[in-house]
Amino acid sequence: MSAVIYNVIKEFFVEIHGYPVKARILSPINDENSFKFQISLYFKSKHNADESEPASTFTSYANAERHLLAYLEAFQNTLDLGGEVAEGSKF
């Protein structure tokens, strides 16, 4: 299996309830139609034991950014409502 090398297109640093969160939008080198986002912390809903891990690939930078910002908002809302950061969720 060959390795995929990504360019980091944009990097965000935010703090959510005292947790420093690093978020990135990446695109594979030589592929202008594939974008992913990655964050250093994941959250768990109070009622759901599964981590909410973003794993989608987007076809445009704008879609990746929009979904990343929505994810960060959901992260904040979940912690506001008593959710927690998933353990061992650093990249």
Side-chain angles (χ1 to χ4, degrees), residues 53-66:
E53 296 189 27
S56 298
T57 298
F58 303 96
T59 56
S60 76
Y61 172 83
N63 276 345
E65 185 175 46
R66 185 166 48 86

Side-chain angles (χ1 to χ4, degrees), residues 5 8 11-12 15-17 19 24-25 27-28 31 39-41 43 45 53 57-59 68 78 83 88:
I5 299 173
V8 176
E11 198 163 52
F12 299 83
E15 187 172 301
I16 299 174
H17 285 274
Y19 293 100
R24 295 173 171 165
I25 297 177
S27 179
D31 186 350
I39 65 163
S40 60
L41 291 176
F43 64 88
S45 167
E53 296 189 27
T57 298
F58 303 96
T59 56
L68 171 58
T78 297

Side-chain angles (χ1 to χ4, degrees), residues 14-21 71-73 75-77 79 85:
V14 295
E15 187 172 301
I16 299 174
H17 285 274
Y19 293 100
V21 179
Y71 180 88
L72 292 172
E73 183 178 2
F75 191 143
Q76 170 118 26
N77 290 341
L79 294 185
V85 173

